[in-house]
mmCIF file of all heavy atoms in Angstrom:
data_model
loop_
_atom_site.group_PDB
_atom_site.id
_atom_site.type_symbol
_atom_site.label_atom_id
_atom_site.label_comp_id
_atom_site.label_asym_id
_atom_site.label_seq_id
_atom_site.Cartn_x
_atom_site.Cartn_y
_atom_site.Cartn_z
ATOM 1 N N GLY A 1 0.754 -1.164 -0.015
ATOM 2 C CA GLY A 1 -0.008 -0.002 0.019
ATOM 3 C C GLY A 1 0.782 1.224 -0.018
ATOM 4 O O GLY A 1 0.284 2.306 0.092
ATOM 5 N N TYR A 2 2.138 1.170 -0.123
ATOM 6 C CA TYR A 2 3.028 2.351 -0.046
ATOM 7 C C TYR A 2 2.763 3.253 -1.181
ATOM 8 O O TYR A 2 2.598 4.567 -0.959
ATOM 9 C CB TYR A 2 4.444 1.941 -0.090
ATOM 10 C CG TYR A 2 5.457 3.025 0.409
ATOM 11 C CD1 TYR A 2 5.812 3.095 1.724
ATOM 12 C CD2 TYR A 2 5.830 4.130 -0.358
ATOM 13 C CE1 TYR A 2 6.696 4.066 2.157
ATOM 14 C CE2 TYR A 2 6.550 5.122 0.001
ATOM 15 C CZ TYR A 2 7.001 5.080 1.366
ATOM 16 O OH TYR A 2 7.861 6.080 1.789
ATOM 17 N N ARG A 3 2.539 2.808 -2.400
ATOM 18 C CA ARG A 3 2.298 3.706 -3.529
ATOM 19 C C ARG A 3 0.987 4.401 -3.382
ATOM 20 O O ARG A 3 1.015 5.707 -3.754
ATOM 21 C CB ARG A 3 2.263 2.849 -4.825
ATOM 22 C CG ARG A 3 2.241 3.536 -6.105
ATOM 23 C CD ARG A 3 3.451 4.338 -6.427
ATOM 24 N NE ARG A 3 3.343 5.691 -6.034
ATOM 25 C CZ ARG A 3 4.427 6.475 -5.899
ATOM 26 N NH1 ARG A 3 5.645 5.988 -5.987
ATOM 27 N NH2 ARG A 3 4.320 7.704 -5.518
ATOM 28 N N GLU A 4 -0.013 3.887 -2.835
ATOM 29 C CA GLU A 4 -1.261 4.565 -2.722
ATOM 30 C C GLU A 4 -1.114 5.656 -1.676
ATOM 31 O O GLU A 4 -1.655 6.725 -1.885
ATOM 32 C CB GLU A 4 -2.320 3.562 -2.267
ATOM 33 C CG GLU A 4 -2.804 2.602 -3.289
ATOM 34 C CD GLU A 4 -1.712 1.434 -3.507
ATOM 35 O OE1 GLU A 4 -0.884 1.308 -2.737
ATOM 36 O OE2 GLU A 4 -1.979 0.637 -4.578
ATOM 37 N N ARG A 5 -0.485 5.448 -0.548
ATOM 38 C CA ARG A 5 -0.248 6.490 0.427
ATOM 39 C C ARG A 5 0.562 7.641 -0.133
ATOM 40 O O ARG A 5 0.341 8.831 0.101
ATOM 41 C CB ARG A 5 0.361 5.921 1.651
ATOM 42 C CG ARG A 5 -0.486 5.140 2.550
ATOM 43 C CD ARG A 5 0.228 4.572 3.742
ATOM 44 N NE ARG A 5 1.034 3.364 3.341
ATOM 45 C CZ ARG A 5 2.044 2.891 4.070
ATOM 46 N NH1 ARG A 5 2.428 3.323 5.178
ATOM 47 N NH2 ARG A 5 2.763 1.824 3.587
ATOM 48 N N ALA A 6 1.621 7.237 -0.890
ATOM 49 C CA ALA A 6 2.423 8.269 -1.576
ATOM 50 C C ALA A 6 1.578 9.122 -2.554
ATOM 51 O O ALA A 6 1.691 10.382 -2.565
ATOM 52 C CB ALA A 6 3.577 7.732 -2.226
ATOM 53 N N ASP A 7 0.774 8.503 -3.292
ATOM 54 C CA ASP A 7 -0.013 9.257 -4.246
ATOM 55 C C ASP A 7 -1.043 10.249 -3.545
ATOM 56 O O ASP A 7 -1.218 11.338 -4.063
ATOM 57 C CB ASP A 7 -0.832 8.265 -5.181
ATOM 58 C CG ASP A 7 0.087 7.629 -6.228
ATOM 59 O OD1 ASP A 7 1.192 8.138 -6.441
ATOM 60 O OD2 ASP A 7 -0.343 6.582 -6.761
ATOM 61 N N ARG A 8 -1.529 9.800 -2.478
ATOM 62 C CA ARG A 8 -2.504 10.611 -1.692
ATOM 63 C C ARG A 8 -1.735 11.900 -1.215
ATOM 64 O O ARG A 8 -2.263 13.026 -1.239
ATOM 65 C CB ARG A 8 -3.221 9.937 -0.599
ATOM 66 C CG ARG A 8 -4.240 8.920 -1.043
ATOM 67 C CD ARG A 8 -5.118 8.443 0.084
ATOM 68 N NE ARG A 8 -4.382 7.721 1.039
ATOM 69 C CZ ARG A 8 -4.249 6.324 0.964
ATOM 70 N NH1 ARG A 8 -4.832 5.713 -0.031
ATOM 71 N NH2 ARG A 8 -3.630 5.693 1.867
ATOM 72 N N LEU A 9 -0.513 11.736 -0.669
ATOM 73 C CA LEU A 9 0.276 12.800 -0.234
ATOM 74 C C LEU A 9 0.599 13.745 -1.351
ATOM 75 O O LEU A 9 0.516 15.008 -1.163
ATOM 76 C CB LEU A 9 1.469 12.254 0.487
ATOM 77 C CG LEU A 9 2.491 13.399 0.865
ATOM 78 C CD1 LEU A 9 1.894 14.442 1.839
ATOM 79 C CD2 LEU A 9 3.805 12.808 1.572
ATOM 80 N N ILE A 10 1.110 13.245 -2.479
ATOM 81 C CA ILE A 10 1.397 14.053 -3.583
ATOM 82 C C ILE A 10 0.187 14.922 -4.071
ATOM 83 O O ILE A 10 0.319 16.072 -4.293
ATOM 84 C CB ILE A 10 1.850 13.185 -4.758
ATOM 85 C CG1 ILE A 10 3.260 12.561 -4.392
ATOM 86 C CG2 ILE A 10 2.003 13.976 -6.025
ATOM 87 C CD1 ILE A 10 3.745 11.536 -5.300
ATOM 88 N N GLY A 11 -0.957 14.272 -4.186
ATOM 89 C CA GLY A 11 -2.173 14.981 -4.552
ATOM 90 C C GLY A 11 -2.514 16.117 -3.651
ATOM 91 O O GLY A 11 -2.914 17.161 -4.116
ATOM 92 N N ARG A 12 -2.368 15.958 -2.308
ATOM 93 C CA ARG A 12 -2.760 16.978 -1.348
ATOM 94 C C ARG A 12 -1.780 18.192 -1.554
ATOM 95 O O ARG A 12 -2.201 19.326 -1.620
ATOM 96 C CB ARG A 12 -2.658 16.517 0.060
ATOM 97 C CG ARG A 12 -3.903 15.781 0.499
ATOM 98 C CD ARG A 12 -4.072 15.792 2.007
ATOM 99 N NE ARG A 12 -4.098 17.134 2.536
ATOM 100 C CZ ARG A 12 -4.117 17.370 3.884
ATOM 101 N NH1 ARG A 12 -4.151 16.441 4.786
ATOM 102 N NH2 ARG A 12 -4.094 18.658 4.340
ATOM 103 N N VAL A 13 -0.551 17.853 -1.565
ATOM 104 C CA VAL A 13 0.522 18.940 -1.704
ATOM 105 C C VAL A 13 0.306 19.765 -3.104
ATOM 106 O O VAL A 13 0.316 20.976 -2.981
ATOM 107 C CB VAL A 13 1.921 18.396 -1.570
ATOM 108 C CG1 VAL A 13 2.991 19.387 -1.992
ATOM 109 C CG2 VAL A 13 2.274 17.851 -0.260
ATOM 110 N N LEU A 14 0.207 19.053 -4.082
ATOM 111 C CA LEU A 14 0.145 19.736 -5.395
ATOM 112 C C LEU A 14 -1.097 20.614 -5.550
ATOM 113 O O LEU A 14 -1.186 21.599 -6.226
ATOM 114 C CB LEU A 14 0.234 18.766 -6.544
ATOM 115 C CG LEU A 14 1.491 17.943 -6.728
ATOM 116 C CD1 LEU A 14 1.550 17.114 -7.901
ATOM 117 C CD2 LEU A 14 2.704 19.029 -6.714
ATOM 118 N N SER A 15 -2.209 20.178 -4.812
ATOM 119 C CA SER A 15 -3.475 20.916 -4.882
ATOM 120 C C SER A 15 -3.595 22.014 -3.890
ATOM 121 O O SER A 15 -4.302 23.017 -4.062
ATOM 122 C CB SER A 15 -4.665 19.913 -4.782
ATOM 123 O OG SER A 15 -4.622 19.284 -3.461
ATOM 124 N N GLU A 16 -2.785 21.879 -2.769
ATOM 125 C CA GLU A 16 -2.962 22.813 -1.665
ATOM 126 C C GLU A 16 -1.864 23.797 -1.482
ATOM 127 O O GLU A 16 -1.969 24.750 -0.811
ATOM 128 C CB GLU A 16 -3.201 22.052 -0.338
ATOM 129 C CG GLU A 16 -4.448 21.169 -0.205
ATOM 130 C CD GLU A 16 -4.566 20.455 1.066
ATOM 131 O OE1 GLU A 16 -3.984 20.956 2.045
ATOM 132 O OE2 GLU A 16 -5.261 19.358 1.069
ATOM 133 N N VAL A 17 -0.730 23.535 -2.194
ATOM 134 C CA VAL A 17 0.438 24.408 -1.910
ATOM 135 C C VAL A 17 0.801 24.999 -3.302
ATOM 136 O O VAL A 17 1.285 24.466 -4.142
ATOM 137 C CB VAL A 17 1.725 23.666 -1.373
ATOM 138 C CG1 VAL A 17 2.851 24.649 -1.153
ATOM 139 C CG2 VAL A 17 1.366 22.890 -0.094
ATOM 140 N N PRO A 18 0.419 26.339 -3.432
ATOM 141 C CA PRO A 18 0.706 27.032 -4.719
ATOM 142 C C PRO A 18 2.165 27.050 -5.062
ATOM 143 O O PRO A 18 3.021 27.285 -4.189
ATOM 144 C CB PRO A 18 0.228 28.493 -4.382
ATOM 145 C CG PRO A 18 -0.818 28.323 -3.295
ATOM 146 C CD PRO A 18 -0.251 27.202 -2.361
ATOM 147 N N GLY A 19 2.471 26.688 -6.299
ATOM 148 C CA GLY A 19 3.839 26.679 -6.801
ATOM 149 C C GLY A 19 4.562 25.373 -6.473
ATOM 150 O O GLY A 19 5.734 25.301 -6.876
ATOM 151 N N SER A 20 3.970 24.467 -5.824
ATOM 152 C CA SER A 20 4.666 23.265 -5.434
ATOM 153 C C SER A 20 4.758 22.285 -6.674
ATOM 154 O O SER A 20 3.897 22.350 -7.531
ATOM 155 C CB SER A 20 3.943 22.524 -4.325
ATOM 156 O OG SER A 20 2.619 22.148 -4.707
ATOM 157 N N LYS A 21 5.792 21.557 -6.700
ATOM 158 C CA LYS A 21 6.041 20.638 -7.818
ATOM 159 C C LYS A 21 6.896 19.458 -7.274
ATOM 160 O O LYS A 21 7.837 19.592 -6.348
ATOM 161 C CB LYS A 21 6.684 21.277 -8.997
ATOM 162 C CG LYS A 21 8.033 21.779 -8.786
ATOM 163 C CD LYS A 21 8.508 22.535 -10.067
ATOM 164 C CE LYS A 21 10.056 22.957 -9.934
ATOM 165 N NZ LYS A 21 10.154 24.055 -8.771
ATOM 166 N N LEU A 22 6.773 18.360 -7.932
ATOM 167 C CA LEU A 22 7.596 17.167 -7.617
ATOM 168 C C LEU A 22 9.079 17.414 -8.257
ATOM 169 O O LEU A 22 9.155 18.098 -9.267
ATOM 170 C CB LEU A 22 7.088 15.927 -8.283
ATOM 171 C CG LEU A 22 5.819 15.356 -7.453
ATOM 172 C CD1 LEU A 22 5.193 14.221 -8.299
ATOM 173 C CD2 LEU A 22 6.243 14.864 -6.094
ATOM 174 N N SER A 23 10.046 16.831 -7.776
ATOM 175 C CA SER A 23 11.344 16.852 -8.257
ATOM 176 C C SER A 23 11.279 16.211 -9.601
ATOM 177 O O SER A 23 10.533 15.212 -9.811
ATOM 178 C CB SER A 23 12.395 16.077 -7.338
ATOM 179 O OG SER A 23 13.496 15.849 -8.049
ATOM 180 N N SER A 24 12.064 16.714 -10.543
ATOM 181 C CA SER A 24 12.067 16.188 -11.893
ATOM 182 C C SER A 24 12.540 14.785 -11.950
ATOM 183 O O SER A 24 12.467 13.954 -12.953
ATOM 184 C CB SER A 24 12.826 17.062 -12.804
ATOM 185 O OG SER A 24 14.264 17.146 -12.397
ATOM 186 N N ASP A 25 13.289 14.246 -10.871
ATOM 187 C CA ASP A 25 13.722 12.916 -10.842
ATOM 188 C C ASP A 25 12.908 12.057 -9.975
ATOM 189 O O ASP A 25 13.398 10.911 -9.630
ATOM 190 C CB ASP A 25 15.260 12.848 -10.434
ATOM 191 C CG ASP A 25 15.421 13.228 -8.978
ATOM 192 O OD1 ASP A 25 14.486 13.739 -8.355
ATOM 193 O OD2 ASP A 25 16.505 13.009 -8.423
ATOM 194 N N GLN A 26 11.647 12.370 -9.759
ATOM 195 C CA GLN A 26 10.807 11.634 -8.962
ATOM 196 C C GLN A 26 10.655 10.189 -9.464
ATOM 197 O O GLN A 26 10.490 9.225 -8.761
ATOM 198 C CB GLN A 26 9.364 12.266 -8.810
ATOM 199 C CG GLN A 26 8.422 11.548 -7.925
ATOM 200 C CD GLN A 26 8.846 11.402 -6.420
ATOM 201 O OE1 GLN A 26 9.415 12.349 -5.942
ATOM 202 N NE2 GLN A 26 8.761 10.193 -5.761
ATOM 203 N N PHE A 27 10.708 10.084 -10.743
ATOM 204 C CA PHE A 27 10.557 8.754 -11.375
ATOM 205 C C PHE A 27 11.598 7.805 -11.009
ATOM 206 O O PHE A 27 11.572 6.546 -11.206
ATOM 207 C CB PHE A 27 10.490 8.878 -12.945
ATOM 208 C CG PHE A 27 11.824 9.256 -13.584
ATOM 209 C CD1 PHE A 27 12.604 8.286 -14.056
ATOM 210 C CD2 PHE A 27 12.191 10.586 -13.696
ATOM 211 C CE1 PHE A 27 13.862 8.546 -14.734
ATOM 212 C CE2 PHE A 27 13.413 10.903 -14.268
ATOM 213 C CZ PHE A 27 14.220 9.891 -14.719
ATOM 214 N N CYS A 28 12.760 8.342 -10.492
ATOM 215 C CA CYS A 28 13.880 7.451 -10.033
ATOM 216 C C CYS A 28 13.794 7.052 -8.565
ATOM 217 O O CYS A 28 14.712 6.302 -8.109
ATOM 218 C CB CYS A 28 15.133 8.224 -10.206
ATOM 219 S SG CYS A 28 15.717 8.669 -11.917
ATOM 220 N N ARG A 29 12.698 7.456 -7.955
ATOM 221 C CA ARG A 29 12.561 7.187 -6.454
ATOM 222 C C ARG A 29 11.705 5.968 -6.192
ATOM 223 O O ARG A 29 10.623 5.869 -6.852
ATOM 224 C CB ARG A 29 12.040 8.438 -5.731
ATOM 225 C CG ARG A 29 13.052 9.645 -5.910
ATOM 226 C CD ARG A 29 12.470 11.001 -5.373
ATOM 227 N NE ARG A 29 13.364 12.000 -5.672
ATOM 228 C CZ ARG A 29 14.362 12.432 -4.933
ATOM 229 N NH1 ARG A 29 14.554 11.940 -3.795
ATOM 230 N NH2 ARG A 29 15.254 13.348 -5.411
ATOM 231 N N ILE A 30 12.027 5.235 -5.213
ATOM 232 C CA ILE A 30 11.276 4.046 -4.836
ATOM 233 C C ILE A 30 10.408 4.341 -3.683
ATOM 234 O O ILE A 30 9.197 4.109 -3.697
ATOM 235 C CB ILE A 30 12.257 2.851 -4.473
ATOM 236 C CG1 ILE A 30 13.099 2.512 -5.650
ATOM 237 C CG2 ILE A 30 11.427 1.680 -3.974
ATOM 238 C CD1 ILE A 30 14.172 1.533 -5.314
ATOM 239 N N PHE A 31 10.918 4.970 -2.508
ATOM 240 C CA PHE A 31 10.080 5.190 -1.369
ATOM 241 C C PHE A 31 10.011 6.710 -1.043
ATOM 242 O O PHE A 31 9.008 7.194 -0.366
ATOM 243 C CB PHE A 31 10.685 4.443 -0.131
ATOM 244 C CG PHE A 31 10.686 3.011 -0.198
ATOM 245 C CD1 PHE A 31 11.840 2.242 -0.372
ATOM 246 C CD2 PHE A 31 9.478 2.277 -0.139
ATOM 247 C CE1 PHE A 31 11.831 0.886 -0.483
ATOM 248 C CE2 PHE A 31 9.424 0.904 -0.326
ATOM 249 C CZ PHE A 31 10.569 0.215 -0.413
ATOM 250 N N ASP A 32 10.955 7.456 -1.558
ATOM 251 C CA ASP A 32 11.015 8.873 -1.222
ATOM 252 C C ASP A 32 10.016 9.739 -2.108
ATOM 253 O O ASP A 32 9.861 9.432 -3.306
ATOM 254 C CB ASP A 32 12.404 9.405 -1.398
ATOM 255 C CG ASP A 32 12.584 10.845 -0.954
ATOM 256 O OD1 ASP A 32 12.462 11.095 0.275
ATOM 257 O OD2 ASP A 32 12.735 11.752 -1.776
#
């Protein structure tokens, strides 16, 4: 269930924090 928890956190931050963005190397990350 790690991926699902991570996706929920990402969704909240990107929708609630203006100007926020994921690191461009997020695709290289396993847990972070």
Side-chain angles (χ1 to χ4, degrees):
Y2 198 97
R3 186 68 263 162
E4 290 76 12
R5 282 177 287 165
D7 286 343
R8 286 195 293 270
L9 172 58
I10 290 169
R12 277 202 61 181
V13 169
L14 296 182
S15 65
E16 297 180 24
V17 183
S20 62
K21 64 180 184 297
L22 286 168
S23 168
S24 61
D25 69 349
Q26 183 63 42
F27 72 95
C28 296
R29 297 172 188 268
I30 299 174
F31 297 109
D32 187 68

